[in-house]
Amino acid sequence: MTTLPSLCFPCFPSSTAYHFAEEQHRETVSQVERISALHPSRNPFVEVDLTDNARAMTRHHQVLVKDVKTIREKRLPADTSLTPQIQIFEHIPAFSNCGCIMDAFIGPCRRQLMTTHPEAFDLLYSMCLLPDGTSYEMLSNCWAKNLRDIRGALDFLEGMSLVEQTGSTYSVLPVIRRYVPRPPWFFYAVRTSMIEAACAFLKQHDSVIGDPLYKAQSAVLSAEERNLEAILLLARVPSVRVIRDGLLSLAYYQCYHRPRLIVIEHALTLVRATDNKLLHGSVLLCYGNIAFRLDQYSLSLNQLEKALHFFLFAKDRRMVAECRLSLENTLRYHLDSDFQSRKKIISQAQFDYESNNDEIGVARCQFALGRLLSQYRHLSEAIELLEWAGGVFAQFKDQHRYAECTAILAKTYCRLSDHDLAYYYATTALNEYEIVHDLRGYCGTMIDLGRILSARGDYEGSLETLLHSFKVRKSMALPPSGGALEGVGLAWANLGNIDNARNAFQEALQQYSSQESAYYSETDIVRCQFFLKRLRDRELQPTPTEYLALWRWYPQDYLLGILCIL
């Protein structure tokens, strides 16, 4: 009879393993069903979670018979002296289902672990939920702070080759993580504890963009982001604390760094099971903002309109105004939006802020109106409003909104062909964005600065700036923007490298064709197609539609210069 080596412990014949596992699984099912029957109303989550596991364990038990028979017929290598726990794991995946072979040994192993080091097994289970591993400091302060001898437990697990250390990071070996069994009555407690730890950690690091501590806290969150995400996605209870302090906090952090939808979608799934209208609206507002930063403008508009409905129902005027400003910002990228409808939204938001005596809110509305006026070429009025709003933001030391304001002033002066002032405001905005650590804002202003440098005749500086924006976008897991690619094409054209210019314009055209912005993509595509045609025919003149597309993006004097170069 083939004998399987245990994890550094005495070997167990596979028949003994089977009987042990059979008894364990039967006991599991009976315990699960008994708990679910006794407490169906007191904790609905326990009922659902455990009965689901009961069914899984029943199937698990049926598969075990086949797996044990198969493993008996499999001849393992004779030499299992070198890290036998890993060698046996490496041979299990081909035969096992859901790690059921491991269940045959986990009981004896746990007893031995508890005897040798009482806290090692608990630490192993907790660390299995951390896909990126973590530092000793994070284990002590967050993930395992209830354990008394974390260092001793880590050393013990590392000595068993269950945990490895890379630099200051400790992580469970992937093959071990995959096959550590998760009995429902035990794993539920570990999962709940880890979710609570994640919420507490995010609550302690809840500074928003623009706060003095934001950059330092963001660095800490960045190191633990995947761990936090993996743990919070295990949440099944529609708890206000888990949604607000956990999922929503993490989603807002991701919004400004590496925007993605998985966390906020899970928050939305949970919040639908509650009757908390304000929280529901807050989740939808965050969803809309993330979709906006992913350039998914239709999705953003849809979620923001739903959020506005919930805030109106909850009669929270501050959040109504907040949502309206986000809505107006998204409408910038929709062809169906018009000047008057967007101006009305801003006026409604300003009325709500004035009712609450919110000076920052009123300044934000004036900033939004200035941005709108600049977009529609009412440049003198735009500058007046933007400078006033920027003064208020500076007075209240709101660096993030001051950065946004100066960035729009740079665009506005560029449209006025005052490239020196445009350069001043663009570099000021870049410095402010870097301080507050807003990568998207920083990247967008770099594209504007590249355009300004080209207008000033500094084509090499423009090219260097725009290529650097590619790296910033890559750090956010985003491709180069169409605007940056177009600017690179113009810089290469000005430098006389027509082949590189053509390649950049073609890439920009592909990017514009894939984006959802109805307002911009249509004119962007027309403009980029004209540039490509102009490279082939230097005598070609823009049609009225093409000229309008050019005019929306470039100031008059620079536009004439472009037509002379291409």
Side-chain angles (χ1 to χ4, degrees), residues 75-346:
R75 288 211 170 268
L76 298 177
D79 182 14
T80 57
S81 58
L82 299 175
T83 56
Q85 63 274 31
I86 296 179
Q87 289 197 22
I88 185 62
F89 271 118
E90 288 173 345
H91 288 84
I92 287 175
F95 312 105
S96 71
N97 187 305
C98 304
C100 62
I101 298 295
M102 272 302 299
D103 286 347
F105 302 103
I106 205 64
C109 291
R110 184 183 184 191
R111 286 193 290 271
Q112 185 69 24
L113 279 167
M114 294 293 285
T115 302
T116 310
H117 197 290
E119 295 180 328
F121 199 82
D122 292 343
L123 182 61
L124 178 64
Y125 264 77
S126 296
M127 291 182 67
C128 279
L129 298 183
L130 306 174
D132 271 3
T134 192
S135 64
Y136 172 76
E137 289 72 22
M138 278 299 299
L139 287 171
S140 302
N141 299 328
C142 179
W143 303 125
K145 61 182 180 181
N146 58 316
L147 301 183
R148 291 174 296 178
D149 185 14
I150 297 173
R151 175 64 68 188
L154 274 176
D155 291 343
F156 183 77
L157 292 173
E158 193 175 4
M160 291 178 62
S161 298
L162 298 174
V163 167
E164 63 180 351
Q165 182 180 3
T166 306
S168 61
T169 301
Y170 292 89
S171 56
V172 178
L173 295 176
V175 71
I176 306 297
R177 282 188 65 239
R178 183 178 176 186
Y179 287 102
V180 166
R182 298 174 177 181
W185 68 87
F186 182 77
F187 180 60
Y188 170 70
V190 174
R191 179 175 60 190
T192 302
S193 171
M194 294 291 277
I195 290 171
E196 285 296 316
C199 291
F201 178 76
L202 285 163
K203 184 72 173 175
Q204 293 169 357
H205 298 77
D206 61 349
S207 61
V208 297
I209 193 164
D211 289 351
L213 294 175
Y214 181 76
K215 189 171 183 178
Q217 292 191 355
S218 293
V220 178
L221 286 172
S222 178
E224 294 293 327
E225 182 182 353
R226 279 196 68 218
N227 293 334
L228 291 164
E229 182 178 292
I231 290 165
L232 290 172
L233 289 177
L234 295 172
R236 296 293 180 269
V237 182
S239 157
V240 171
R241 171 173 165 75
V242 171
I243 298 170
R244 183 191 62 219
D245 297 343
L247 291 162
L248 195 54
S249 294
L250 181 59
Y252 264 118
Y253 163 78
Q254 292 180 339
C255 179
Y256 288 101
H257 291 82
R258 287 173 289 275
R260 50 189 178 276
L261 296 174
I262 184 171
V263 171
I264 198 63
E265 284 177 343
H266 189 59
L268 186 58
T269 300
L270 294 184
V271 81
R272 283 175 179 148
T274 73
D275 58 356
N276 191 323
K277 304 299 182 186
L278 191 58
L279 183 60
H280 201 150
S282 298
V283 170
L284 288 166
L285 175 60
C286 181
Y287 198 137
N289 288 332
I290 293 175
F292 174 81
R293 286 179 170 260
L294 289 169
D295 301 328
Q296 299 182 25
Y297 303 112
S298 298
L299 177 61
S300 174
L301 188 63
N302 180 262
Q303 301 299 341
L304 291 171
E305 286 173 343
K306 291 178 183 177
L308 182 60
H309 170 77
F310 279 102
F311 291 139
L312 287 168
F313 186 87
K315 298 179 180 179
D316 190 316
R317 300 185 72 171
R318 186 184 67 83
M319 293 306 297
V320 166
E322 181 82 21
C323 190
R324 280 181 169 142
L325 286 183
S326 293
L327 196 60
E328 187 277 331
N329 189 35
T330 303
L331 285 170
R332 289 194 294 148
Y333 297 86
H334 280 264
L335 191 62
D336 295 336
S337 66
D338 60 84
F339 180 85
Q340 292 300 329
S341 63
R342 287 171 57 192
K343 185 178 179 181
K344 182 180 178 181
I345 292 172
I346 294 170

Side-chain angles (χ1 to χ4, degrees), residues 433-477:
Y433 275 131
E434 189 172 10
I435 291 170
V436 300
H437 204 54
D438 182 353
L439 296 180
R440 182 186 170 92
Y442 183 85
C443 190
T445 306
M446 288 193 78
I447 297 171
D448 293 333
L449 180 59
R451 193 176 308 121
I452 293 164
L453 289 170
S454 282
R456 298 178 73 185
D458 185 1
Y459 307 119
E460 291 181 353
S462 172
L463 186 62
E464 182 182 354
T465 301
L466 293 167
L467 291 176
H468 184 63
S469 76
F470 293 1
K471 297 178 182 178
V472 179
R473 295 269 296 185
K474 186 177 181 180
S475 72
M476 301 169 66

Side-chain angles (χ1 to χ4, degrees), residues 509-551:
L509 187 59
Q510 291 176 357
Q511 193 66 24
Y512 287 141
S513 300
S514 65
Q515 70 184 32
E516 292 187 17
S517 168
Y519 179 84
Y520 280 112
S521 62
E522 184 175 300
T523 55
D524 291 340
I525 289 169
V526 169
R527 188 177 62 250
C528 216
Q529 287 173 337
F530 170 75
F531 287 150
L532 285 167
K533 289 187 290 185
R534 181 80 179 202
L535 288 175
R536 293 190 296 268
D537 182 1
R538 296 289 298 274
E539 302 300 322
L540 183 69
Q541 295 299 312
T543 64
T545 302
E546 290 169 338
Y547 188 84
L548 178 62
L550 292 164
W551 174 80

Side-chain angles (χ1 to χ4, degrees), residues 37-81:
L38 288 174
H39 309 292
S41 58
R42 189 174 66 189
N43 192 338
F45 171 59
V46 172
E47 180 187 9
V48 174
D49 184 59
L50 293 183
T51 51
D52 284 347
N53 277 283
R55 288 191 291 271
M57 293 297 276
T58 301
R59 292 193 301 270
H60 197 172
H61 168 68
Q62 293 169 351
V63 171
L64 183 64
V65 178
K66 179 181 177 182
D67 281 350
V68 170
K69 288 179 180 177
T70 306
I71 204 73
R72 281 176 181 169
E73 298 169 1
K74 175 68 179 178
R75 288 211 170 268
L76 298 177
D79 182 14
T80 57
S81 58

